[in-house]
Amino acid sequence: MSNPRLEIRNLSRRFAGQFAVDDVSLRLEPGQVTCLLGPSGCGKSTTLRIVAGVERQDSGEVLIDGALVCDGTRSQPPELRNIGMMFQDFALFPHLSVWENVAFGLKGAKSIRRARAEELLERVDLAGYGAQMPHELSGGEQQRVALARAVAPGPRIMLLDEPFSGLDDRLRDGIRDETLEVLREAGTAVLMVTHDPGEAMKMADEIALMRDGKIVQKGAPYTIYNSPIDKDAASFFSDINVMVGKVKGALAKTPFGEFFAPGHADGTILDIV
Ligand code: ADP
Ligand code: MG
């Protein structure tokens, strides 16, 4: 069997004694989109930063195509990992033209770099914009330039950290779909962070639900949506009603009536979802 494109094994990272990332493991195949979904502060960005090589772990390993890129002691520098990144606060180089921004990570003769940049600009519907300067473009157009720049060197893995949350609703869906189409086509494995369940449902092949540094559930979007592991996972996806009941004689008594609760001792307090 071939190696996964990206494998994260038992990754942990503490800040001031507190786990930011706590024993996280993930596998991504080429062309697969995995969403790390969870509330603010649960460790999503730290996980991505360790994979990118801009943050170190305390323990655990990251492998790309079966090759170790970092463990607790050794670490391959970020620029050698062939990983693309797009973050919310992406920045284009203001003094470089649009095509020069896209070609920034490319090697070779200027004419070849320019041709490749123009090809990518066409791919993100910005044909003819190459000679403009970033400030002449709208926010959504700049985002697409950033996307073209990130995919230009043909990364094996793309890390997206809420890159669409700064865009207004009107633009977001289009750019998001376009981004994924470009990445899937290229066979890039995508690890994407979001705190928006709707976005994860729409985009992911697999969702990894994170809480307090841990992955609490992993699966296909509809599996997680239909069979959440607990009431916190359920309430993350939709508004649910939780009632508190006290068990007596295999019945839980709530303000809204009694519910059958076999196997629970009298006096037990239950959450009824
Ligand atoms: P998320 O991206 O899910 O919002 P983060 O990975 O940014 O969460 O942060 C996880 C936890 O680690 C938070 O409690 C955050 O305050 C803490 N943290 C992240 N980076 C640092 C750092 N460089 N120094 C100290 N604490 C940090
Ligand atoms: Mg974050």
Side-chain angles (χ1 to χ4, degrees):
M1 222 180 72
S2 64
N3 291 307
R5 174 55 49 86
L6 172 65
E7 186 174 3
I8 298 173
R9 286 187 193 151
N10 308 105
L11 209 60
S12 290
R13 175 71 164 119
R14 273 173 302 183
F15 293 112
Q18 292 269 43
F19 278 102
V21 177
D22 189 355
D23 199 26
V24 163
S25 296
L26 278 173
R27 293 166 69 98
L28 274 76
E29 301 300 332
Q32 183 185 341
V33 178
T34 295
C35 276
L36 279 181
L37 174 66
S40 180
C42 73
K44 305 180 297 294
S45 294
T46 304
T47 303
L48 246 58
R49 290 167 54 78
I50 294 169
V51 173
V54 296
E55 180 72 71
R56 66 167 184 83
Q57 68 267 48
D58 295 319
S59 57
E61 290 112 44
V62 176
L63 296 92
I64 299 177
D65 291 324
L68 184 72
V69 297
C70 61
D71 57 17
T73 48
R74 290 157 303 167
S75 181
Q76 186 182 43
E79 63 274 18
L80 296 181
R81 294 187 186 192
N82 197 3
I83 292 178
M85 282 179 276
M86 258 178 94
F87 295 142
Q88 185 185 340
D89 47 357
F90 72 95
L92 299 176
F93 302 110
H95 59 293
L96 297 181
S97 70
V98 165
W99 85 261
E100 287 168 329
N101 265 279
V102 175
F104 185 77
L106 298 178
K107 294 185 180 71
K110 182 175 171 182
S111 61
I112 293 170
R113 295 168 68 239
R114 175 146 200 183
R116 170 79 177 137
E118 298 289 358
E119 184 189 311
L120 284 158
L121 285 169
E122 201 178 316
R123 188 68 196 82
V124 296
D125 291 329
L126 288 174
Y129 283 69
Q132 298 207 25
M133 298 305 283
H135 74 265
E136 298 175 287
L137 273 53
S138 71
E141 288 164 349
Q142 291 187 28
Q143 186 82 358
R144 273 139 64 201
V145 175
L147 166 64
R149 182 176 65 184
V151 300
R156 292 180 291 185
I157 296 163
M158 181 70 83
L159 305 174
L160 304 175
D161 196 342
E162 314 222 16
F164 312 108
S165 55
L167 297 170
D168 56 272
D169 298 348
R170 215 161 31 83
L171 291 171
R172 190 179 304 125
D173 286 6
I175 291 181
R176 191 166 57 190
D177 294 350
E178 194 165 34
T179 301
L180 277 218
E181 200 185 307
V182 170
L183 294 172
R184 278 212 170 95
E185 217 170 69
T188 312
V190 180
L191 185 56
M192 173 175 157
V193 158
T194 182
H195 64 270
D196 176 355
E199 183 163 87
M201 289 290 294
K202 244 184 261 165
M203 299 191 69
D205 299 308
E206 184 173 59
I207 292 176
L209 207 55
M210 261 186 110
R211 192 189 303 153
D212 298 333
K214 289 191 179 66
I215 292 178
V216 292
Q217 191 174 9
K218 209 169 3 183
Y222 282 93
T223 309
I224 295 207
Y225 183 80
N226 290 323
S227 317
I229 192 168
D230 57 21
K231 83 171 157 55
D232 285 342
S235 62
F236 201 69
F237 279 97
S238 51
D239 292 331
I240 52 160
N241 298 308
V242 179
M243 293 173 286
V244 177
K246 188 169 183 182
V247 176
K248 186 153 189 259
L251 289 177
K253 295 184 193 300
T254 80
F256 303 97
E258 294 180 342
F259 293 82
F260 195 44
H264 294 284
D266 280 3
T268 307
I269 304 294
L270 288 180
D271 286 324
I272 296 158
V273 180

